[in-house]
Amino acid sequence: MMVKTRIRRDDEVIVIAGRDKGARGKVVRVLPQDGTVLVSKVNMIKRHTRQTQNTSGGIIEKEAPLAISNVQFFCPKCKTGVRLGSKVLEDGRKVRTCRKCGEVLDR
Ligand SMILES: [Zn+2]
């Protein structure tokens, strides 16, 4: 199922539910088909990797996907997670806005 989201790669988001509630990080990847996002250094899991000819194996830490519904865009002005709106600028560009303070979030 595709999940509609206005969150994009490189956005700063805050986790609003689950084990990592309150954690903030940059979006590494958005996976609308899965309804999940990968957020840098958030929801880390340890993976054991087997030794191969090319790698030495061992334990690596990597990000596990978070449900899109469990994260919100972090508005730098409100200093909290917010919902995103959108508006069209005078020059015709469509930008995302903070629904709370109205700040334009795209440059
Ligand atoms: Zn705001």
Side-chain angles (χ1 to χ4, degrees):
M1 188 190 79
M2 282 285 280
V3 173
K4 267 195 180 173
T5 179
R6 291 197 167 105
I7 288 170
R8 293 182 203 147
R9 197 162 65 94
D10 290 336
D11 282 351
E12 190 174 7
V13 293
I14 183 163
V15 181
I16 55 164
R19 194 188 63 155
D20 279 357
K21 190 174 171 180
R24 265 157 60 188
K26 240 181 187 186
V27 174
V28 181
R29 231 171 127 190
V30 183
L31 300 142
Q33 292 92 338
D34 302 334
T36 59
V37 285
L38 284 177
V39 182
S40 177
K41 305 282 174 228
V42 176
N43 204 26
M44 300 297 283
I45 49 161
K46 285 194 173 79
R47 269 264 159 87
H48 296 263
T49 57
R50 209 169 279 165
Q51 194 171 346
T52 66
Q53 278 187 326
N54 304 316
T55 62
S56 56
I59 299 167
I60 55 158
E61 276 202 291
K62 61 176 276 179
E63 288 90 2
L66 291 158
I68 286 174
S69 55
N70 283 357
V71 302
Q72 273 190 329
F73 191 96
F74 185 83
C75 174
K77 213 172 167 186
C78 299
K79 305 250 183 285
T80 186
V82 296
R83 296 210 293 150
L84 294 171
S86 66
K87 74 171 184 185
V88 179
L89 297 178
E90 281 176 27
D91 62 9
R93 279 193 308 136
K94 199 175 171 191
V95 293
R96 296 177 302 164
T97 57
C98 169
R99 282 221 197 152
K100 206 169 186 155
C101 67
E103 184 85 344
V104 173
L105 301 164
D106 290 316
R107 249 145 280 173

